[in-house]
Amino acid sequence: MFPIKKVFQEILTNMKPKILVTRKISDAAEEKLNINFEVTLNPKDEPIPSNELIKMANEYDGFISTGFDKIGDDFFKELNGKLKIIAQVGVGYDNISIKSAEGKKIKVTNTPNVLNEAVAETTILLILAASRRIGEAYNLVRSGNWKNQKPDLTKFMIGNSVTGKTLGIIGMGRIGRMVAKCAKAFGMKIIYFNRNKLSEDLEDGAKYYSDVKSMMPDCDFVSIHTPATAETKHILNVDTIGLLPKHAVVINTSRGSTIDDDALIEALLNKKIYAAGLDVFNNEPNLDERYMKLDNCFVLPHVGSATHETRLAMSMMAVENICKYFENKPLISEVVSYNS
Ligand code: 8YV
């Protein structure tokens, strides 16, 4: 007998939008995606080279991408109109050329809000680790050399207190504000620089500076929470770092491009500032090797949002955006270019 049911099933399958998930995402998100779409997963999490991604783009209606994928101008030049949406698992989307996507009428979404807490936790972790010399202390125990140290009350692993100090936040968006909230638990005073002054409600007692330079001398700690744009590139540079007090600590959980490495490394090396705590770098994962040799620099491998709960929420949000698009419903978190 003619397997009519099977034929219908195949027709229906062929009608489902085709989605490529460029890297492994949370299991539950992959399962949800599989219900409504014809999905190509990447269970082994093999990076797809940029030239391969460009070739694959014309076979799919949607992509679920990550910050590791390079989706620049070249990618969009080759498209034939099949790809309609790129749902990024990440709040940052500096790996995607938004202008080119808009030129091709391709929607781009990101995952804001769901990672605010995780990134704020990482920021507080870096504040504490850098100011309390946790990298040095940890390495001392792990190396077995603790027993060879003189337990000197005034010198041994003495760092700077965090409680009651002033935290300067560059970029008082959703993550910046969550960091401010957590830092207040340590009695920290919050000051901030942002493109625009916030409403009193959102400021929640923080003092606004309309230019970054004027804020620098008042910072015991300065933490960056801006997206990576032309405007924020090297926002911490030789001039701004030069205005920080000698005891200042620089924290970065945003993007490496916000810091001029030469300027920061020189300041750390010559003790022009006290320390740095960095989760993000230029040219990750091939960070400037000088950072790894500095005792006063606590480094992490871009783990700001790396919790089970957060990565699940981020993956789910990307899938939700894909579902909404193909149901013709408003997207949860559409990204648009600054000038549009
Ligand atoms: C992601 C991040 O892990 O959300 C972001 O912008 O930097 C991280 O949380 C990374 O981008 C992978 O997509």
Side-chain angles (χ1 to χ4, degrees), residues 183-200:
K184 283 180 189 166
F186 291 94
M188 292 186 100
K189 188 178 151 216
I190 310 298
I191 59 179
Y192 75 100
F193 162 73
N194 201 47
R195 272 187 304 174
N196 304 306
K197 189 177 179 332
L198 303 184
S199 65
E200 259 181 47

Side-chain angles (χ1 to χ4, degrees), residues 50-60 63 70-83 100-101 103-104 106:
S50 300
N51 57 337
E52 287 297 315
L53 210 58
I54 292 176
K55 279 191 218 150
M56 293 167 94
N58 283 325
E59 293 161 35
Y60 291 90
F63 266 22
K70 302 227 175 319
I71 308 183
D73 296 327
D74 288 354
F75 173 90
F76 292 97
K77 272 187 206 139
E78 306 294 326
L79 298 184
N80 64 8
K82 184 162 171 70
L83 189 70
S100 293
K104 293 274 181 171
I106 294 169

Side-chain angles (χ1 to χ4, degrees), residues 66-68 88-92 115 255 302 305 311 314:
T66 72
F68 311 119
Q88 168 105 333
V89 182
V91 67
L115 43 57
R255 285 291 183 270
H302 197 150
S305 67
R311 288 286 162 80
M314 291 163 74

Side-chain angles (χ1 to χ4, degrees), residues 268-297:
L268 288 167
L269 206 57
N270 296 309
K271 310 277 188 284
K272 291 181 179 167
I273 60 169
Y274 184 68
L278 308 173
D279 182 46
V280 289
F281 299 89
N282 287 298
N283 198 27
E284 288 175 16
N286 303 307
L287 70 160
D288 190 318
E289 291 192 1
R290 291 174 294 172
Y291 281 121
M292 295 183 254
K293 299 187 186 110
L294 287 164
D295 272 347
N296 56 351
C297 189

Side-chain angles (χ1 to χ4, degrees), residues 17-305:
K18 285 181 74 177
I19 309 295
L20 173 72
V21 186
T22 65
R23 300 294 293 258
K24 174 82 187 87
I25 59 170
S26 301
D27 292 344
E30 291 181 349
E31 279 157 27
K32 183 169 164 74
L33 205 58
N34 267 324
I35 298 170
N36 296 311
F37 302 98
E38 191 189 332
V39 186
T40 303
L41 296 173
N42 187 351
K44 289 200 182 134
D45 206 19
E46 305 279 7
I48 304 175
S50 300
N51 57 337
E52 287 297 315
L53 210 58
I54 292 176
K55 279 191 218 150
M56 293 167 94
N58 283 325
E59 293 161 35
Y60 291 90
D61 300 283
F63 266 22
I64 291 197
S65 63
T66 72
F68 311 119
D69 305 308
K70 302 227 175 319
I71 308 183
D73 296 327
D74 288 354
F75 173 90
F76 292 97
K77 272 187 206 139
E78 306 294 326
L79 298 184
N80 64 8
K82 184 162 171 70
L83 189 70
K84 293 164 201 80
I85 178 165
I86 300 171
Q88 168 105 333
V89 182
V91 67
Y93 46 85
D94 42 295
N95 58 312
I96 304 174
S97 172
I98 303 300
K99 281 245 184 293
S100 293
E102 285 171 349
K104 293 274 181 171
K105 303 225 172 334
I106 294 169
K107 298 284 183 194
V108 178
T109 61
N110 66 342
T111 59
N113 285 318
V114 291
L115 43 57
N116 297 349
E117 288 83 358
V119 179
E121 286 171 6
T122 307
T123 306
I124 298 296
L125 185 159
L126 289 173
I127 288 175
L128 294 169
S131 57
R132 296 295 302 273
R133 301 175 57 184
I134 298 308
E136 286 173 80
Y138 180 78
N139 288 339
L140 181 70
V141 178
R142 298 279 292 204
S143 68
N145 282 330
W146 183 18
K147 59 181 176 297
N148 306 323
Q149 299 291 311
K150 192 162 64 111
D152 185 318
L153 205 63
T154 58
K155 293 202 188 82
F156 181 68
M157 290 298 159
I158 305 297
N160 287 342
S161 289
V162 170
T163 302
K165 299 288 172 64
T166 297
L167 170 62
I169 294 181
I170 299 179
M172 197 65 148
R174 293 170 290 241
I175 296 175
R177 295 199 299 275
M178 184 58 72
V179 169
K181 190 175 164 191
C182 296
K184 283 180 189 166
F186 291 94
M188 292 186 100
K189 188 178 151 216
I190 310 298
I191 59 179
Y192 75 100
F193 162 73
N194 201 47
R195 272 187 304 174
N196 304 306
K197 189 177 179 332
L198 303 184
S199 65
E200 259 181 47
D201 192 32
L202 291 180
E203 265 182 352
D204 198 19
K207 179 178 169 194
Y208 178 61
Y209 290 70
S210 58
D211 74 298
V212 73
K213 280 190 177 173
S214 63
M215 184 174 82
M216 292 293 107
D218 295 343
C219 295
D220 298 320
F221 292 82
V222 59
S223 188
I224 312 174
H225 300 286
T226 62
T229 62
E231 215 183 325
T232 62
K233 186 171 177 180
H234 291 186
I235 197 159
L236 286 193
N237 52 45
V238 74
D239 294 333
T240 44
I241 293 172
L243 292 166
L244 287 168
K246 217 171 165 241
H247 63 263
V249 176
V250 167
I251 304 295
N252 195 7
T253 53
S254 64
R255 285 291 183 270
S257 65
T258 57
I259 292 182
D260 174 351
D261 289 334
D262 284 337
L264 181 59
I265 290 165
E266 195 274 330
L268 288 167
L269 206 57
N270 296 309
K271 310 277 188 284
K272 291 181 179 167
I273 60 169
Y274 184 68
L278 308 173
D279 182 46
V280 289
F281 299 89
N282 287 298
N283 198 27
E284 288 175 16
N286 303 307
L287 70 160
D288 190 318
E289 291 192 1
R290 291 174 294 172
Y291 281 121
M292 295 183 254
K293 299 187 186 110
L294 287 164
D295 272 347
N296 56 351
C297 189
F298 186 88
V299 288
L300 292 176
H302 197 150
V303 292
S305 67

